[in-house]
Amino acid sequence: MTERLVVIGGDAAGMSAASQARRRRAAGDLEIVAFERGQHTSYSACGIPYWIAGDAQGPDALVARTAEEHRARAIDLRLGTEVTDIDPERGRVRSRDADGAEQWTGYDHLVIATGAEPVRPPLPGIQAQGVYGVQTLDDGEAVLRGLDRAGVRRAVVVGGGYIGVEMAEAMLRHGLEVTLIDRNEQPMTTLDPDMGQLVRAALEGLGVPVVSGTPVRAVLTGADGRVRAVATDDAEHPADLVVLGLGVRPQTGLAAAAGLPLGEHGGLLTDRAMRVRGTGNIWAGGDCVEVLNLVSGALQHIALGTHANKHGRIIGINIGGGYATFPGVVGTAVSKVCDVEIARTGLKESQARAAGLQYVTAVIESTSRAGYYPGAAPMTVKILAERRTGRLLGLQIVGREGAAKRVDIGAVALTAGMTVEQMIGLDLGYAPPFSPVWDPVLVAARKAADAVAAADAAG
Ligand SMILES: Cc1cc2nc3c(=O)[nH]c(=O)nc-3n(C[C@H](O)[C@H](O)[C@H](O)COP(=O)(O)OP(=O)(O)OC[C@H]3O[C@@H](n4cnc5c(N)ncnc54)[C@H](O)[C@@H]3O)c2cc1C
């Protein structure tokens, strides 16, 4: 008998699951219906800041697989159709299409891949014309239209996370005067404040004032209803255009209404196979779930495309009759603002403390190439290592060319449970155009190993 797989959410996690399931099960064996309330499918939100900056084409080039391509593989993709209810008792979902027509669709397997929703505090003026989020391809088009308006000269970016700093670059590239406002003391709170301070210095070096430690109170509008400034407690920051990068939270209202289990961060709870806990045939992945942090042992909500794609693949394999599990994450993320690269993996200091781990830190300055080789650029590397065991706990890097992807050394070392002493012996590639003879990460590992020994000696 033909089974039916229903997918809610037609982007990274949902369509990876659908595609993988289709690869393993023919249409006569598994019917696949995917509901997507937007008009795009399998698109890269990650590319939006680069499209707006002018580095990448968009929006079509950001679509990895079109609706027609999915349909050609016997995936019944219904765009512009929102799922409004999940009825786990009877194994069905209710959907509403663009004309308002409602319909129930039964499922044998259900994949919830509804992603995350941007945080939008109820600030006065936040809905004003000229205020943009950056979540979907439609948002990208709206920002570009906003930039095309005559007289747009000043941008305020609210939020200093990775989307905020990437959008600050995009605005700079359009020749705008840019101010970044963040309620935290330093931008990039995925880093420790001392490393965030380097990002702040980089932004200021690019001519972007960073207004920090103060929340935005309101978006102020002119007589025409368009944004004219962003107000903090003690100042007004003039703006012709405002970009919001205030973070996201899991989009799980639908799942919660169906009685499915959510964690303390609001994400769906799954087992290792990405099956929603306590259910037999409901799966979830991507930005709407919580994931296990392998270093801290805690559940976390980390909204990244790299995880969403892996989750989707795993779900598709399992529905397809195979077996796959998601091991968890170590918390790796990279981004950049102009030529300054920002990278982190593992735990930052506050996370290590929250996990009850005692640690030492080491911070070093080095260069991207041998010091004598032309173009060598500075790089700061910070390592956290556990006291006594010397186990690597975290790695953060801020620097230029090649800084960001060096964090992958840390991601592998964390996954393997390596100590900083073991890292020192890693056989990394070396030639003067690529690194100093001691790679900056290994220099930091040496200093961290010394700090572990010193802490031991001190008792
Ligand atoms: C500007 C930007 C830059 C980013 N850069 C990076 C990066 O550099 N690296 C990285 O790893 N990640 C990055 N990300 C994050 C990455 O894009 C997300 O983690 C990834 O898209 C998550 O995939 P998903 O399938 O879980 O959710 P989404 O991509 O959010 O897809 C969920 C889909 O579900 C649909 N949907 C929701 N509810 C319903 C419903 N009830 N009915 C029907 N459809 C519904 C939504 O319309 C949406 O299309 C970036 C995100 C943004 C916004």
Side-chain angles (χ1 to χ4, degrees):
M1 202 186 76
T2 307
E3 286 192 323
R4 184 185 292 140
L5 161 63
V6 166
V7 176
I8 313 174
D11 195 24
M15 296 320 288
S16 296
S19 301
Q20 189 60 234
R22 170 57 73 237
R23 211 167 284 162
R24 290 167 167 263
R25 291 178 68 176
D29 179 37
L30 185 73
E31 182 189 349
I32 305 179
V33 181
F35 294 101
E36 166 53 52
R37 68 183 175 195
Q39 290 303 326
H40 298 281
T41 179
S42 298
Y43 56 92
S44 167
C46 315
I48 295 172
Y50 304 101
W51 163 35
I52 295 174
D55 290 330
Q57 296 292 309
D60 295 346
L62 300 186
V63 175
R65 198 169 276 169
T66 62
E68 292 67 37
E69 287 170 314
H70 283 303
R71 289 178 188 134
R73 301 184 67 224
I75 296 173
D76 177 3
L77 174 62
R78 303 187 192 170
L79 294 179
T81 307
E82 177 164 15
V83 172
T84 54
D85 288 284
I86 302 171
D87 177 0
E89 294 287 310
R90 298 175 67 176
R92 58 184 194 161
V93 300
R94 181 159 50 185
S95 61
R96 186 172 50 225
D97 69 17
D99 300 323
E102 295 198 331
Q103 177 186 341
W104 284 98
T105 306
Y107 62 79
D108 298 288
H109 297 277
L110 175 67
V111 174
I112 303 175
T114 46
E117 57 190 331
V119 172
R120 289 281 178 277
L123 294 173
I126 198 163
Q127 307 284 359
Q129 289 175 48
V131 180
Y132 302 95
V134 199
Q135 180 83 1
T136 62
L137 296 182
D138 291 343
D139 292 338
E141 284 185 314
V143 175
L144 283 167
R145 277 196 305 275
L147 285 164
D148 272 348
R149 286 178 62 90
V152 171
R153 211 165 46 77
R154 294 160 306 190
V156 168
V157 176
V158 183
Y162 78 89
I163 292 178
V165 302
E166 289 175 5
M167 287 305 297
E169 169 177 352
M171 297 295 107
L172 282 176
R173 299 276 295 279
H174 281 268
L176 269 61
E177 289 169 27
V178 186
T179 302
L180 188 140
I181 304 180
D182 195 301
R183 65 177 176 183
N184 300 294
E185 285 304 326
Q186 301 299 346
M188 291 304 297
T189 54
T190 49
L191 305 178
D192 286 321
D194 55 336
M195 297 297 280
Q197 162 66 33
L198 301 177
V199 178
R200 177 200 198 97
L203 284 161
E204 289 175 348
L206 291 163
V208 178
V210 177
V211 179
S212 62
T214 176
V216 164
R217 294 297 180 199
V219 175
L220 308 177
T221 50
D224 58 357
R226 292 193 65 81
V227 58
R228 68 170 176 81
V230 174
T232 53
D233 278 338
D234 45 12
E236 286 184 12
H237 305 276
D240 306 309
L241 186 147
V242 173
V243 177
L244 303 175
L246 294 165
V248 296
R249 62 169 78 93
Q251 190 146 257
T252 46
L254 199 57
L260 298 174
L262 303 186
E264 66 173 288
H265 307 287
L268 274 158
L269 297 175
T270 71
D271 63 16
R272 291 289 182 96
M274 304 309 298
R275 187 187 274 111
V276 174
R277 286 192 201 164
T279 72
N281 58 348
I282 304 182
W283 312 76
D287 286 2
C288 64
V289 305
E290 297 189 4
V291 289
L292 174 68
N293 185 312
L294 295 170
V295 190
S296 67
L299 285 175
Q300 251 188 297
H301 179 241
I302 302 183
L304 285 177
T306 174
H307 307 319
N309 280 287
K310 292 187 183 102
H311 291 167
R313 175 177 173 274
I314 288 163
I315 293 169
I317 290 173
N318 289 325
I319 293 174
Y323 172 62
T325 57
F326 185 69
V329 305
V330 291
T332 312
V334 293
S335 50
K336 77 176 190 75
V337 53
C338 296
D339 62 348
V340 176
E341 302 181 4
I342 306 157
R344 59 100 62 221
T345 189
L347 307 181
K348 59 178 181 170
E349 292 195 44
S350 58
Q351 290 174 312
R353 282 195 297 273
L357 296 166
Q358 292 195 12
Y359 60 89
V360 297
T361 63
V363 180
I364 63 102
E365 310 279 337
S366 184
T367 51
S368 58
R369 310 175 182 193
Y372 56 81
Y373 194 89
M379 182 180 310
T380 305
V381 180
K382 176 170 183 173
I383 278 188
L384 270 68
E386 188 177 21
R387 266 193 69 180
R388 213 175 308 279
T389 67
R391 179 171 64 112
L392 176 71
L393 293 180
L395 173 65
Q396 299 165 42
I397 310 179
V398 178
R400 289 180 166 75
E401 58 146 23
K405 286 299 276 179
R406 275 192 165 87
V407 85
D408 290 342
I409 303 168
V412 174
L414 285 165
T415 306
M418 292 176 77
T419 64
V420 282
E421 193 66 48
Q422 287 171 320
M423 286 177 72
I424 296 170
L426 282 174
D427 181 13
L428 304 182
Y430 159 67
F434 302 105
S435 79
V437 66
W438 280 94
D439 188 274
V441 172
L442 300 191
V443 178
R446 279 169 51 175
K447 191 166 176 191
D450 289 347
V452 172
D456 269 355

